[in-house]
Amino acid sequence: MNGVSLEETRVAQAKAGRMEAWAELYQAHYAAIFRHVRYLGGSSAPVEDLVQEVFARALVALPGFDGRASFSTWLHGVAVNVVRNHWRARQSTETAHQRYQDINAVHRASASNEVDRAHMHKRRAEAVYAVLEQLPAHLREAFVLRDLEGFAPADAAAQLGISPGNLSVRASRARERIRQELEKLGWLSPREEVQA
Amino acid sequence: MSADLELSALLDDVVRSVDEDIAADPGCPDLAAVIARAHELDPQRVPAEAVHEVAQWAPVVSIQQGHRRRRTRDDVELLAARFVAARSATEGGPALELTDEARMALREHRWPGNVRELRNVIQRAISLAHGSRILEADLALHDQGDLMAVEELLTLPYREAHSQLDRYYLRRVMAETRGNITHAAERLGTSRRSLRERLKKLGLVPQDLGPTPKLEARMAELRRRLAPDLPWIRG
């Protein structure tokens, strides 16, 4: 409990304009936010740049932080919004479908050549993100927070500003769509009992 | 393999790829760039204290506004000179300057913290300096990853000695695997999770893992003396 109250003190000091306190919060949460942004944004996202944007936005928005959620949950929520904007901008400047096709092409090439394991693992991770990119943002975020990052339903829901029940429904729908797409692309074997 | 296991294996690859990126990340960049960016978003809502700090760091911040995020050694020297000048100006005493040796030591030192850490070192050095020159000794920089002399190590309780050696040993493995925790864990025959926890416990962060030649020499000496009794340092 001490850790929590210490953090609350730091947050209050930072809200009062004390930069030492803000610097401590920044250092304490940097790694977690880096991880969060990396998961949400995928390997092709400019993670460092987005993390910097998260903390800049949080610094500006800090006076409005009311303490209803923990500082960490709030900060993760800011990160969700920053990455969401990034996806939006990216989709308007590049063709997501083209990247999806590229990954599929690489997969076929990889399957015919012997590539080293590490490279293959990377390709598989890229394939998952290529599929994720095809999903609507609300499904993608629910899936990343629950299935990749492993947040508890209540925490993930608080970050997205939705109910835990709603989150579970979104994550489950996302999982099903991802599975279907990965099957279509040949990254997963087709299920036998799909029809029913 | 069942569809669930296959999907789970694919997601494991995602987790692995994120872990690798995180292990390769050199850590927390300077806060100054964040403050400068916040100021661009909404200058009214950035605390005055922060604005003051950014103004002090302006030349470096402007360089860091792009995608470059690590300080170069030139930046460190430039910042140090600015801190010295600013301090001399506010205190009104004789103008201070860093000796060549001190500047070199600042350039060579690893700076795992942010700019604040450098400023603290300079402030301390100014208070320790005699006359108008800041000597290398005034900076009181010491390599925190350094390994103490063997005799000194042997005087410590076992647990402490183990930690000292462990810190050195893991720094070296992490440096050799370029900060890749997955590869380091494979080499050490342990799990990524255990290794990460151990690194965290020892206060080792990815950007602070490179051994110096001096440390290499000390480690070689230590190996000669202690290897038969210390299984954790066997190759």
Side-chain angles (χ1 to χ4, degrees), chain B residues 70-88:
Chain B
R70 302 302 303 166
R71 285 184 301 280
T72 66
R73 293 177 173 191
D74 288 342
D75 291 340
V76 169
E77 203 176 324
L78 171 69
L79 271 174
R82 284 177 66 83
F83 291 148
V84 171
R87 185 74 177 212
S88 302

Side-chain angles (χ1 to χ4, degrees), chain A residues 20 38 48 121 124 189, chain B residues 6 13 21 29 37 69 116:
Chain A
E20 290 284 345
R38 172 63 182 78
E48 294 160 8
H121 288 312
R124 283 158 57 92
S189 320
Chain B
E6 273 188 317
D13 285 335
D21 279 4
R37 198 156 175 170
R69 57 191 299 279
R116 204 177 289 272

Side-chain angles (χ1 to χ4, degrees), chain B residues 2-218:
Chain B
S2 81
D4 278 345
L5 281 178
E6 273 188 317
L7 179 60
S8 165
L10 269 174
L11 298 187
D12 279 350
D13 285 335
V14 176
V15 173
R16 184 200 302 255
S17 112
V18 173
D19 275 352
E20 283 173 1
D21 279 4
I22 289 167
D25 179 57
C28 209
D30 289 342
L31 184 56
V34 171
I35 296 171
R37 198 156 175 170
H39 194 259
E40 281 172 9
L41 289 171
D42 187 348
Q44 304 300 321
R45 302 188 82 166
V46 178
E49 191 186 322
V51 176
H52 173 74
E53 295 207 14
V54 170
Q56 202 175 6
W57 301 338
V60 174
V61 172
S62 64
I63 296 168
Q64 289 174 333
Q65 290 273 278
H67 290 293
R68 210 191 72 176
R69 57 191 299 279
R70 302 302 303 166
R71 285 184 301 280
T72 66
R73 293 177 173 191
D74 288 342
D75 291 340
V76 169
E77 203 176 324
L78 171 69
L79 271 174
R82 284 177 66 83
F83 291 148
V84 171
R87 185 74 177 212
S88 302
T90 51
E91 299 204 341
L96 286 166
E97 63 171 6
L98 291 154
T99 61
D100 289 346
E101 291 75 21
R103 281 210 301 273
M104 186 57 73
L106 287 169
R107 289 173 72 93
E108 294 300 322
H109 187 71
R110 293 188 191 91
W111 295 96
N114 57 24
V115 174
R116 204 177 289 272
E117 182 190 351
L118 171 63
R119 188 172 53 184
N120 291 342
V121 166
I122 296 295
Q123 286 177 348
R124 191 180 57 218
I126 289 171
S127 61
L128 292 173
H130 297 289
S132 61
R133 288 156 65 84
I134 298 176
L135 308 176
E136 183 184 351
D138 297 329
L139 298 171
L141 294 173
H142 55 278
D143 187 345
Q144 293 175 348
D146 208 339
L147 188 65
M148 57 179 62
V150 174
E151 289 305 324
E152 207 180 336
L153 189 71
L154 291 172
T155 62
L156 293 176
Y158 174 77
R159 199 178 287 272
E160 261 180 66
H162 188 178
S163 286
Q164 281 284 342
L165 185 57
D166 217 358
R167 182 174 284 109
Y168 177 83
Y169 186 69
L170 293 181
R171 276 168 56 90
R172 181 169 169 168
V173 173
M174 290 304 293
E176 285 172 3
T177 55
R178 297 181 180 182
N180 185 317
I181 291 192
T182 305
H183 292 169
E186 275 170 14
R187 191 168 141 186
L188 296 166
T190 184
S191 69
R192 285 203 312 273
R193 180 186 291 252
S194 311
L195 177 58
R196 190 188 302 283
E197 277 171 8
R198 185 65 181 148
L199 290 171
K200 207 170 154 189
K201 206 166 182 179
L202 293 169
L204 292 180
V205 285
Q207 80 274 25
D208 187 27
L209 297 165
T212 63
K214 189 172 76 175
L215 300 187
E216 295 282 0
R218 284 191 184 175

Side-chain angles (χ1 to χ4, degrees), chain A residues 36-66:
Chain A
H36 191 50
V37 168
R38 172 63 182 78
Y39 268 119
L40 282 165
S43 57
S44 58
V47 180
E48 294 160 8
D49 192 51
L50 293 175
V51 172
Q52 198 181 80
E53 178 78 9
V54 171
F55 282 99
R57 290 200 173 274
L59 179 59
V60 167
L62 190 63
F65 171 60
D66 57 14

